[in-house]
Structure formats: structure tokens, C-alpha cells
Amino acid sequence: MTSVNQTLVTDFILLGFSDLPRYQIQLFAVFLVIFIITLLGNLTIILSVSGDPRLHCPMYFFLANLSFVDICLGLVTLPQMLVHFLLERKSITYGGCLSQVFFFLLFANVEDFLLTVMAYDRYVAICNPLHYSVVMRKTACAQMVAGTWVTAILNSILHTGMTSRLSFCGANEINHFLCDMVPLFKLSCSDTFPNQMVIFTEGSVVVMSPFLIIVISYICIIRAILKIPSALGRRKTFSTCSSHLAVVIPYFGTIMFMYFRPTTSFALTKDRVASVMYTILAPMLNPFIYSLRNNEVKGAIKKVILGKIISSNS
């Protein structure tokens, strides 16, 4: 017997930060600044990588793709949040909510996979440097990136499709600043057990497999670094991985905290903070994390900025 979508709700109310009514304008200003920094920071990374021949290598190719995904992730969440800070009724249509679920999952999954590919790139560069140019050739890098998008699209279709089959019979206030699966489960008047099982099984594979690959890669990397005789050599080699680690640890940590636990433990304040960390702050901070300790990226950024200044003055 096929299940019938018995949805009666035509729109949802995103409560977001409505429990802080006195600070709506201040929050609007803060998140507007975050949005601008996210766009400018990641766009600068993309322009720097594409404009500097020294950065035309796999590591920076993946970094440029990561910056593109961070821009997309910011566009999925922040514009709507900014509008809702200024409106009394913070509504989103049923179709718009499902669309946000799809694109949010899509870009979050692509980010997971790109971080995994970047870890593999560092593994090959440090543990098998003689084979690096063969393993990480341009066609292989392009195939890896394409594979991340295909896998993420299929995963997003699966979860969004299952969410669309849930029934919403009355309550329509989402305790979140965006449409996400877990808070939607709380509102559904139908059985969400199959959805939760898919998250814990298929979702666990999609998230935990990249995480395990990253862990194994870094175990091999650390073993290779410890074999380097000089302390200076060890520091220089590890510095090529430190930025990536600084992004991976909080990102995967908050995702596992958000999704791989019972929905009964969902708490608005804690989960809202966790969501802000990996959906809003991470895309803003990634360009700074990757550029602060990387002289090549800093040099390319200075070149782009100086070029813009010179062209505007001429």
C-alpha cells in the first residue's frame, strides 16, 4: 500500500531567535556582517586561486571548491534569516521549506566530502610524495569533485523525499532558524521512525565514512611526520595540515552532535548554537583559517587586492 501525503500545513513559522525580541536589530546587524564577510572572504579565495598560477595545484583546487560551497551554504541560510529579523511573521511556504532542506543537505554533504578529499590529498602529498603528481592529476581531482556532488545530490533527494511524505496536521512552528529534518520530525503527526532510521543508517555511512577516512589519513600522516628527523621539517610538514584540521574537528563534531542522537534530546538553545557554528560561522571562518598560516594564499590575496586597487585608480 502506498502512503499518501496528508499534509494540511501550507506554511511554517521559523521561530529562529524570536525568543530574543529586544535584540532583533542587533542580531540583524551581526548576521549581516557575517554574511558579507562570508561572501567576500570566500570569493577572495576563489579569485586568488584562479588568478595565481602558483596555486594551480590540487590542494588549492579543492580549497576553491570548498569556498564556492561555503558561499552556497551561506546563501541557503542567511538571507532568509536576515529578512525574518525584520518581519513580525517569520513564515516560509511548505515548498520553500522542503527546498531549503534539499539545498542545505546538498551543500553540507558536499562540504563533508570535500574535506575528506582534501585530507586524502594531504595523505598522498606527505606519505607518497613521489606518486603525488600521478595520483592527484587534474582529471582525477575533477572526478573526485564531481563524485562529491553526485553523491550529495542523491543523498539529498533521498532525505528530502522521505521528509516530503510526512504529514503535518496542525502545529507549524519550527524551533529553528532554517528548515531542517530534525525539527520537522518534531512537528509531524505521522510516524517518523523510518526517517530516523535512515538518518542513523544511511546518514551515518554518508557522514561517518568521510570522518573515518579523514582519521585514517591523519594517522598515516602523523606516522610519516614522526619519521622526519628534524624538528623544523616536522613543523613545516604538519603546518600544511593544521588549517584543514582546524576546520574538520569542529565541523564534524557539531554535525554528529546534531543528527546522531534521539530526537527527544533536541534542545532549542544548544542545537541552535551548534547549527550556527557549522552552517554560518564555519563558512565565514574557513577562508581565514586557510589563509592565516599559508604564505602562498596570503600572497595571492594581496595580489588580488592590489590588482583591484590599481584597476580602480586607473
Side-chain angles (χ1 to χ4, degrees):
M1 180 181 296
T2 58
S3 68
V4 178
N5 188 348
Q6 300 174 346
T7 301
L8 301 178
V9 171
T10 58
D11 64 356
F12 293 98
I13 306 299
L14 291 169
L15 296 179
F17 295 88
S18 57
D19 57 327
L20 303 171
R22 296 182 179 180
Y23 303 100
Q24 295 298 292
I25 299 301
Q26 293 91 327
L27 288 170
F28 172 83
V30 169
F31 284 102
L32 178 61
V33 171
I34 291 174
F35 184 45
I36 293 171
I37 293 174
T38 299
L39 295 180
L40 293 179
N42 286 289
L43 186 59
T44 300
I45 293 291
I46 294 172
L47 293 175
S48 301
V49 171
S50 60
D52 194 330
R54 295 176 302 172
L55 303 185
H56 293 174
C57 61
M59 179 171 67
Y60 299 115
F61 170 70
F62 296 135
L63 178 58
N65 277 274
L66 183 68
S67 293
F68 172 74
V69 173
D70 282 336
I71 289 175
C72 294
L73 198 55
L75 290 172
V76 168
T77 56
L78 282 166
Q80 176 186 263
M81 182 191 295
L82 291 171
V83 171
H84 283 179
F85 281 129
L86 304 178
L87 298 178
E88 184 175 348
R89 181 173 173 81
K90 310 174 191 302
S91 63
I92 183 173
T93 64
Y94 176 79
C97 189
L98 287 181
S99 297
Q100 190 174 50
V101 169
F102 174 81
F103 286 107
F104 173 67
L105 287 174
L106 170 63
F107 297 127
N109 286 156
V110 172
E111 181 132 349
D112 296 345
F113 301 142
L114 281 176
L115 290 173
T116 307
V117 170
M118 293 171 80
Y120 178 70
D121 171 74
R122 292 298 83 206
Y123 160 76
V124 177
I126 294 172
C127 299
N128 296 288
L130 298 179
H131 298 92
Y132 184 79
S133 60
V134 176
V135 176
M136 303 302 294
R137 61 192 184 278
K138 288 184 178 180
T139 54
C141 294
Q143 289 169 354
M144 290 179 190
V145 172
T148 65
W149 281 95
V150 171
T151 306
I153 289 171
L154 294 175
N155 185 63
S156 298
I157 290 174
L158 171 64
H159 288 286
T160 307
M162 292 194 67
T163 303
S164 70
R165 298 177 70 84
L166 296 177
S167 298
F168 300 93
C169 307
N172 69 337
E173 292 186 344
I174 300 176
N175 278 331
H176 212 328
F177 56 81
L178 78 157
C179 286
D180 198 4
M181 293 182 296
V182 175
L184 282 173
F185 294 168
K186 301 281 286 185
L187 297 181
S188 177
C189 55
S190 56
D191 183 16
T192 61
F193 181 76
N195 299 68
Q196 295 182 52
M197 284 300 98
V198 170
I199 290 178
F200 277 100
T201 54
E202 186 272 347
S204 296
V205 172
V206 169
V207 174
M208 291 305 298
S209 295
F211 182 71
L212 289 175
I213 292 172
I214 292 172
V215 170
I216 293 170
S217 297
Y218 272 103
I219 290 173
C220 296
I221 287 170
I222 291 171
R223 289 176 60 185
I225 289 175
L226 292 176
K227 293 178 182 178
I228 299 174
S230 68
L232 179 61
R234 289 194 293 271
R235 283 198 299 271
K236 283 185 176 180
T237 304
F238 185 75
S239 67
T240 64
C241 308
S242 57
S243 298
H244 182 259
L245 275 175
V247 171
V248 164
I249 294 172
Y251 185 80
F252 277 93
T254 51
I255 286 179
M256 286 184 236
F257 170 78
M258 279 293 299
Y259 295 103
F260 300 113
R261 60 196 172 95
T263 55
T264 53
S265 64
F266 185 85
L268 174 60
T269 303
K270 291 188 297 182
D271 293 348
R272 190 170 59 187
V273 170
S275 295
V276 167
M277 285 182 62
Y278 83 92
T279 62
I280 295 175
L281 293 183
M284 180 190 70
L285 294 175
N286 285 352
F288 297 97
I289 293 173
Y290 275 103
S291 61
L292 284 177
R293 297 189 62 184
N294 192 311
N295 292 327
E296 290 179 326
V297 175
K298 284 191 287 188
I301 291 174
K302 290 177 182 178
K303 186 177 177 181
V304 169
I305 294 174
L306 288 174
K308 295 294 182 183
I309 294 174
I310 293 172
S311 62
S312 62
N313 292 333
S314 60

